[in-house]
Amino acid sequence: MSDIEIIEQFCDQIWMEQGLSDATLASYRSDLKKFSQWLATNQTLLIDVSRVDIQNYLANRYKHGFNSRSTARFLSSARKFYRYMMQNNVITEDPTLHIDSPKIQPPVPKSISEEDIDNLLQQPELETPMGLRDKAMLELLYSSGLRITELISVEINQIGFQQGVIRVVGKGNKERLVPMGEVALDAILSYIRAGRAELAKGKVIDVLFLSNRGQQMTRQTFWHRIKFYANQAGFNKPISPHTLRHAFATHLLNHGADLRTLQMLLGHSDLSTTQIYTHVAKERLKQLHSTHHPRG
């Protein structure tokens, strides 16, 4: 049986067993066919592959500039294929064992300028309960860098009105205290005084931010609210709640915050997660050097 026939048989079988999408099957098919074509130059079949063959193929991909994400995808396809071959007793040893996937660098977060943020935060109409709520949510999100799930889950008793901090329950039920800033605190107080009761519709509920039905807001609802205000502000690029979290981190670094402090504020358990922002710190240092150093 030829490599092409084996690949098609494999794709048909896992489609029947696992109901994978057409896109996933197309990825498997493409990755395996390209591997088969490379093997053919050495007169090797897919079922005769050794671990060395795969390592050589990975080295060849690196030489030709393939990125780590596509290489990781190939390895995922190869592992799936050779496990299938093992299960069907076509081969006796999985050649993908003990081969590590390449580390995939997280994408550099896209941020927006402080001017754009100011423009966005001015959009909600403060004459309506929903406008007061949205203003408070946007200000808190940008002021504290909360995750969207943390934001919509905030309860009134988590707000330290006197101290100007919010007690956030993050991933793994880990708690952290995050400063809010006076603007965010004022927006929250305005919402509580003049908007929240109308949205609550007589219900007693602990969650701070309520939908127009008197319930906890959903992630999707708030995402749509941000998109609505972004359109009003004339943004020509996509924006999401996560964009404001990135803006919070980026703007803090631009104004001199260090990564360890940022890690605590964002609720990252590992500093390496926060280090995706190091490019911001480097650019800040370059600007300072260029501006202030006599040889800049």
Side-chain angles (χ1 to χ4, degrees):
M1 188 179 294
S2 70
D3 279 357
I4 297 300
E5 291 172 323
I6 291 176
I7 292 170
E8 291 302 327
Q9 186 182 73
F10 159 71
C11 289
D12 289 345
Q13 189 64 33
I14 61 172
W15 175 78
M16 286 190 292
E17 292 176 357
Q18 301 177 28
L20 300 178
S21 69
D22 291 342
T24 301
L25 291 172
S27 295
Y28 288 153
R29 188 177 288 109
S30 173
D31 289 338
L32 293 170
K33 283 184 177 179
K34 289 175 182 176
F35 184 37
S36 173
Q37 290 166 0
W38 181 84
L39 290 170
T41 61
N42 296 319
Q43 298 183 333
T44 303
L45 296 173
L46 280 173
I47 59 173
D48 296 327
V49 162
S50 67
R51 183 156 58 96
V52 173
D53 290 321
I54 293 182
Q55 289 172 330
N56 288 339
Y57 182 58
L58 295 180
N60 181 73
R61 290 176 63 88
Y62 178 79
K63 177 182 175 182
H64 286 87
F66 286 89
N67 63 40
S68 56
R69 192 173 298 276
S70 67
T71 297
R73 195 193 76 173
F74 158 72
L75 275 174
S76 176
S77 299
R79 288 192 179 102
K80 191 86 171 178
F81 175 76
Y82 285 110
R83 284 171 189 165
Y84 167 81
M85 291 290 110
M86 288 275 292
Q87 291 168 359
N88 286 273
N89 300 315
V90 177
I91 59 175
T92 58
E93 186 176 345
D94 183 352
T96 65
L97 287 177
H98 310 301
I99 294 181
D100 295 328
S101 291
K103 290 185 178 180
I104 300 175
Q105 292 285 50
V108 174
K110 293 182 179 179
S111 189
I112 56 179
S113 69
E114 293 179 41
E115 292 76 15
D116 282 343
I117 287 288
D118 286 340
N119 188 12
L120 179 70
L121 297 180
Q122 296 304 316
Q123 297 307 312
E125 296 181 4
L126 305 186
E127 294 76 25
T128 67
M130 285 181 59
L132 288 168
R133 177 203 65 195
D134 293 347
K135 172 71 170 177
M137 294 185 79
L138 289 170
E139 290 285 0
L140 180 58
L141 185 57
Y142 176 58
S143 172
S144 303
L146 305 186
R147 300 178 177 93
I148 177 60
T149 302
E150 295 168 347
L151 178 70
I152 63 174
S153 303
V154 167
E155 297 184 358
I156 295 178
N157 62 15
Q158 291 175 236
I159 304 291
F161 294 99
Q162 295 297 324
Q163 302 86 357
V165 297
I166 177 172
R167 178 171 53 85
V168 182
V169 182
K171 290 184 177 180
N173 286 324
K174 293 181 179 178
E175 291 190 2
R176 67 186 191 278
L177 289 177
V178 183
M180 289 185 293
E182 291 183 7
V183 177
L185 182 56
D186 287 345
I188 291 171
L189 287 171
S190 295
Y191 160 65
I192 291 175
R193 291 167 182 157
R196 188 177 183 276
E198 186 171 333
L199 292 175
K201 302 184 187 308
K203 299 176 184 177
V204 177
I205 183 168
D206 294 329
V207 172
L208 176 59
F209 299 116
L210 303 176
S211 71
N212 56 6
R213 296 182 179 179
Q215 301 171 340
Q216 178 178 328
M217 288 185 66
T218 65
R219 294 162 54 98
Q220 293 79 7
T221 297
F222 187 58
W223 187 90
H224 285 299
R225 298 305 295 166
I226 285 188
K227 187 175 180 181
F228 170 74
Y229 292 124
N231 288 336
Q232 278 195 338
F235 284 18
N236 56 5
K237 50 192 170 185
I239 185 172
S240 70
H242 217 59
T243 307
L244 269 70
R245 178 169 159 88
H246 288 323
F248 161 82
T250 302
H251 298 168
L252 268 179
L253 284 176
N254 284 341
H255 288 277
D258 61 87
L259 283 175
R260 185 65 69 178
T261 300
L262 187 59
Q263 176 193 2
M264 292 187 291
L265 293 175
L266 291 172
H268 288 161
S269 58
D270 192 331
L271 184 61
S272 63
T273 308
T274 316
Q275 285 174 337
I276 58 176
Y277 294 101
T278 53
H279 75 289
V280 177
K282 289 176 183 176
E283 288 302 314
R284 172 70 174 161
L285 289 174
K286 284 165 61 178
Q287 290 175 9
L288 289 172
H289 183 275
S290 175
T291 304
H292 300 291
H293 194 278
R295 292 288 187 267

